[in-house]
């Protein structure tokens, strides 16, 4: 028998869950002037859990620094210098010329930083970090407890939800784990951030059926005593003009056949190490923990990862899921793992959750303050966010196929990913401006910030970035999916027919952000297969002050990258067809010889 309700609270918004996504949602809603209650009862083990060790990318950095007021903490976190991918490291002790690599160094030259009118802008816009989740969540939890209009109910779990009819409030019933306390919450809006519990998705049947067999398992651990001296000269990459990058100071991904490994360094000489693999092609026998260690031992360069230094181990058996609704016209929403999860690749879970949460706050605020439920906006969010999930899923799905062993696929498929992220830079810039200039409070908007928020409500999505922002989100997602499938199909043909291509490298920097894709046509004639270009001093007009409406470089970044990956893809199509014709001709000649 459950206890009789002992406490009743009324709020504009009830947030279920007090992880990083739930806390940011609660804080964001409170900053909009809404009354908020956040309900959860994490165990001591959950509070202390290292979880993955988060790598911030695209949008998450901006929202956490401003909405969460975590600027100081992120400055003290492990500085993320970029992202780095490699294939062919199995059995190797160094990143030699037989290894394909794709990397992007995101560090800015000091001359760029000095141009910003607000010294905080470069950090909000660009300075990504690698965070220790329990420490960041503890700080957010303390901040939430001290906010006006935000009530933390941290002693119970939601057990029942009764949706209000005809505009009436919803009613949620919570009960403590030991069943000694209980209460009811009446709220106009519910935001489910319950993670894998997926309370509302399961309660109201919102699972989106997946029409394929693509599913992955992820297993990871966090390790102590991983000091700088473990990362020797082998971890250094040298650019043609003498600059160096430290692979270990990037979020590092090592690809194999049907799996990949992440290496994320953290403060305190800790490292998050994970293995994620396709369930239908499990690379080793055994349970997730056994598979993890067997895969790690394939890599001599990772021999410093020792079981005696393991702080915590976790695994997700089935990572893939998505809801058919992110915001319901019945005034509830689902965000974070409570709505969808794809894969840890590119660390997009929190990033996409931050933007979805921002849209939810806009819709809830308009409904609570003005009694207007903007169904057009709501429907646009559902379509665009679902399309974003499809885009992100297509990025990882093709790479699990084994096509990553083809170096041209490895380069072009990552370039297609970069095109999507590069196109999102203008939205990232405008979101960073709005956050920095308002602190996340719409009450502090001027006309310019209000215009920014209106524009972002239509375009702050991967599927609605320039230059494809006028297209239907699912048309964009379908095109990206088809593009990945085409690259994969041609790569698999080359691999299956012995058309070996040289391992290729492409290292980019924020100030030399394009790879030399045209070199694909004559890689065999180069001293080494490398698409990395030298840095060129940028024209003055491309400088970013942080107060523009449309910085030139960010306005055209998506278009430039689209042209580049388009040209590379056209070459890939033409070259593969020529190879097919040559193979067909050779086969005909062999048949004629046999007949003779």
């Amino acid at each position: 028998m459950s206890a009789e309700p002992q406490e009743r609270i009324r709020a504009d918004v009830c947030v279920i869950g007090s992880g990083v996504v739930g806390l940011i949602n609660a804080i964001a809603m409170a900053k909009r002037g809404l009354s908020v209650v956040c309900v959860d009862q994490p165990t001591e083990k959950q509070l202390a859990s290292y979880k993955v060790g988060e790598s911030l990318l695209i949008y998450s950095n901006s929202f956490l620094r401003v909405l969460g007021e975590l600027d100081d903490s992120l400055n003290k976190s492990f500085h993320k210098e970029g992202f780095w991918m490699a294939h062919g490291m199995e059995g190797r002790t160094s990143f030699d010329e037989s290894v394909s690599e794709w990397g992007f160094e995101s560090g800015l030259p000091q001359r760029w930083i000095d141009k910003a009118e607000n010294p905080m802008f470069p950090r909000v816009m660009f300075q990504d970090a690698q965070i220790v989740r329990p420490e960041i969540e503890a700080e957010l939890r303390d901040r939430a407890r001290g906010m006006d209009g935000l009530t933390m109910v941290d002693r119970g779990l939601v057990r029942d939800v009764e949706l209000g009819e005809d505009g009436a409030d919803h009613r949620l019933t919570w009960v403590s784990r030991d069943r000694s306390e209980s209460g009811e919450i009446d709220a106009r809006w519910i935001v489910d951030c319950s993670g894998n519990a997926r309370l509302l998705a399961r309660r109201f049947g919102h699972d989106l059926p997946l029409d394929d067999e693509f599913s992955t398992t992820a297993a990871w651990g966090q390790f102590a005593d991983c000091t700088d001296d473990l990362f020797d000269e082998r971890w250094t990459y040298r650019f043609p003009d003498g600059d160096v990058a430290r692979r270990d100071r990037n979020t590092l991904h090592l690809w194999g056949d049907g799996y990949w490994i992440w290496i994320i360094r953290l403060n305190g000489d800790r490292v998050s190490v994970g293995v994620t693999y396709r369930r239908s092609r499990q690379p080793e026998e055994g349970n997730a923990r056994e598979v993890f260690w067997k895969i790690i031992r394939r890599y001599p360069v990772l021999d410093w990862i020792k079981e005696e230094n393991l702080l915590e181990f976790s695994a997700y058996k089935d990572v893939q899921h998505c809801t058919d609704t992110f915001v319901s016209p019945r005034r509830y929403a689902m965000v974070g793992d409570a709505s969808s999860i794809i894969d840890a690749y590119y660390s997009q879970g929190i990033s996409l959750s931050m933007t979805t949460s921002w849209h939810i706050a806009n819709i809830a605020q308009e409904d609570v303050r003005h009694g207007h439920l903007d169904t057009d906006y709501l429907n646009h969010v559902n379509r665009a966010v679902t399309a974003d999930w499809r885009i992100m899923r297509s990025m990882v799905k093709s790479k699990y196929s084994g096509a990553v062993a083809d170096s041209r696929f490895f380069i072009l498929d990552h370039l297609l990913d970069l095109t999507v992220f590069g196109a999102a830079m203008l939205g990232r810039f405008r979101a960073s401006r709005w956050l920095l200039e308002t602190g996340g409070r719409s009450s502090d908007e001027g006309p310019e910030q209000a215009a920014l928020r209106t524009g972002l409500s239509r375009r702050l999505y991967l599927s609605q970035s320039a230059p494809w922002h006028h297209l239907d989100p699912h048309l964009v997602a379908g095109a990206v999916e088809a593009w990945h499938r085409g690259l994969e199909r041609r790569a698999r043909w080359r691999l299956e027919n012995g058309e070996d291509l040289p391992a290729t490298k492409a290292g980019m920097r924020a100030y030399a952000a394009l790879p030399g894709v045209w070199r694909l046509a004559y890689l065999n004639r180069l001293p080494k297969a490398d698409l990395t270009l030298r840095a060129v001093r940028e024209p003055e007009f491309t400088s970013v002050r942080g107060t523009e409406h449309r910085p030139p470089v960010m306005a055209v970044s998506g278009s430039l990258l689209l042209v580049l990956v388009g040209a590379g893809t056209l070459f890939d199509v033409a070259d593969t067809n020529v190879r097919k014709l040559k193979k067909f001709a050779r086969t005909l000649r062999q048949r004629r010889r046999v007949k003779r």
Side-chain angles (χ1 to χ4, degrees), residues 327-329 359 363 366 372-385 457-458 461 464 473:
V327 193
S328 170
H359 293 298
I363 294 169
E366 179 70 11
H372 173 229
L373 183 59
D374 191 341
T375 54
D376 286 341
Y377 187 5
L378 185 152
N379 290 333
H380 185 61
V381 170
N382 285 327
R383 288 188 62 77
V385 174
S457 70
R458 302 301 300 177
Y461 315 89
Q464 293 289 270

Side-chain angles (χ1 to χ4, degrees), residues 78-82 84 95 105 130 226-237 245-252 263-266 270-271 302 304:
F78 193 94
H79 179 57
K80 174 186 171 75
E81 296 186 357
W84 205 274
F95 295 83
E105 291 285 293
Q130 299 181 166
C226 300
T227 54
D228 283 338
D229 60 285
L230 297 176
F231 302 96
D232 54 23
E233 182 63 21
R234 293 175 299 172
W235 296 84
T236 299
Y237 176 85
R246 295 285 309 180
R247 296 176 176 94
D248 60 289
R249 301 193 71 86
N250 289 259
T251 300
L252 177 65
I263 310 290
I264 301 175
R265 294 190 65 184
L266 304 165
R270 290 167 292 190
V271 176
L302 302 179
W304 46 269

Side-chain angles (χ1 to χ4, degrees), residues 580-592:
K580 288 181 177 180
L581 286 172
K582 288 181 177 178
K583 181 176 178 60
F584 179 70
R586 289 194 299 269
T587 302
L588 282 180
R589 287 195 295 270
Q590 290 169 357
R591 288 176 178 173
R592 287 171 181 167

Side-chain angles (χ1 to χ4, degrees), residues 362-423:
N362 287 335
I363 294 169
Q365 176 187 336
E366 179 70 11
D367 176 57
V368 172
R369 286 282 172 258
H370 305 289
H372 173 229
L373 183 59
D374 191 341
T375 54
D376 286 341
Y377 187 5
L378 185 152
N379 290 333
H380 185 61
V381 170
N382 285 327
R383 288 188 62 77
V385 174
T386 306
D388 286 0
W389 183 84
R390 289 176 58 191
I391 288 171
M392 286 304 309
R393 192 168 187 257
S394 72
M395 289 182 182
V396 299
K397 182 179 178 181
S398 57
K399 297 177 183 65
Y400 277 103
S401 68
V404 287
D406 178 89
S407 63
R408 189 188 298 159
F409 170 87
F410 187 81
I411 294 297
L412 290 179
D413 207 61
H414 280 108
L415 179 56
L416 179 55
D417 300 346
L418 183 65
T419 300
V420 173
F421 295 137

Side-chain angles (χ1 to χ4, degrees), residues 225-406:
D225 300 325
C226 300
T227 54
D228 283 338
D229 60 285
L230 297 176
F231 302 96
D232 54 23
E233 182 63 21
R234 293 175 299 172
W235 296 84
T236 299
Y237 176 85
R238 300 188 183 280
F239 290 95
D241 48 20
D243 280 356
V244 298
R246 295 285 309 180
R247 296 176 176 94
D248 60 289
R249 301 193 71 86
N250 289 259
T251 300
L252 177 65
H253 306 100
L254 303 177
W255 272 102
D257 184 11
Y259 73 89
W260 65 278
I261 299 170
W262 74 69
I263 310 290
I264 301 175
R265 294 190 65 184
L266 304 165
N267 275 356
D269 294 333
R270 290 167 292 190
V271 176
S272 172
V273 181
V275 175
T276 178
Y277 53 91
R278 191 163 186 166
R279 292 184 62 193
S280 61
R281 298 178 61 205
Q282 187 165 310
E284 294 280 2
E285 294 293 326
N287 59 34
R289 191 179 188 120
E290 291 166 340
V291 172
F292 173 89
W293 283 110
K294 288 177 181 179
I295 293 296
I296 294 299
R297 294 300 170 236
R298 294 183 183 185
Y299 291 80
V301 76
L302 302 179
D303 59 7
W304 46 269
I305 300 174
K306 301 183 182 300
E307 194 153 9
E308 57 263 33
N309 294 334
L310 182 65
L311 297 170
E312 183 181 29
F313 183 86
S314 299
Y316 281 166
K317 182 179 180 182
D318 188 356
V319 174
Q320 308 283 319
H321 68 250
C322 187
T323 62
D324 60 8
T325 301
F326 289 84
V327 193
S328 170
R330 299 188 70 183
R331 292 178 281 108
Y332 62 84
M334 295 159 284
V335 68
D337 289 357
S339 63
S340 65
I341 188 169
I342 309 160
D343 193 85
Y345 202 58
Y346 290 124
S347 305
Q348 282 298 289
I350 287 186
S351 182
L352 295 180
S353 297
M354 294 295 103
T355 55
T356 304
S357 300
W358 186 83
H359 293 298
I360 293 167
N362 287 335
I363 294 169
Q365 176 187 336
E366 179 70 11
D367 176 57
V368 172
R369 286 282 172 258
H370 305 289
H372 173 229
L373 183 59
D374 191 341
T375 54
D376 286 341
Y377 187 5
L378 185 152
N379 290 333
H380 185 61
V381 170
N382 285 327
R383 288 188 62 77
V385 174
T386 306
D388 286 0
W389 183 84
R390 289 176 58 191
I391 288 171
M392 286 304 309
R393 192 168 187 257
S394 72
M395 289 182 182
V396 299
K397 182 179 178 181
S398 57
K399 297 177 183 65
Y400 277 103
S401 68
V404 287
D406 178 89

Side-chain angles (χ1 to χ4, degrees), residues 442-569:
S442 53
S443 58
D444 290 347
E445 287 179 338
E448 192 169 1
Q449 291 75 36
L452 281 173
R453 184 156 65 98
T454 299
L456 287 167
S457 70
R458 302 301 300 177
R459 294 177 58 175
L460 190 59
Y461 315 89
L462 298 178
S463 56
Q464 293 289 270
S465 302
W468 45 77
H469 54 288
H470 293 302
L471 300 177
D472 179 82
H474 284 285
L475 179 63
V476 175
V480 174
E481 289 170 338
W483 204 323
H484 282 295
R485 287 196 301 269
L487 291 170
E488 176 192 337
R489 184 174 60 253
R490 290 185 292 276
R492 289 176 66 84
W493 182 88
R494 289 191 294 270
L495 291 169
E496 291 166 2
N497 289 275
E499 299 287 334
D500 297 328
L501 302 175
T504 307
K505 299 183 185 295
M508 289 153 287
R509 293 157 284 183
Y511 47 96
L514 301 177
V517 170
W518 50 89
R519 293 180 181 175
L520 290 172
Y522 52 90
L523 275 180
N524 288 320
R525 298 196 295 273
L526 294 175
K528 59 180 181 178
D530 198 334
L531 308 185
T532 307
L533 300 179
R534 292 177 176 271
V536 178
R537 184 96 180 187
E538 70 283 350
E540 184 65 25
F541 76 88
T542 63
S543 299
V544 178
R545 301 185 305 278
T547 56
E548 303 91 338
H549 181 70
R550 187 188 297 271
V553 172
M554 295 178 190
V556 302
S557 60
S559 299
L560 286 175
L561 288 164
L562 190 61
V563 169
L564 199 62
V565 70
T569 301

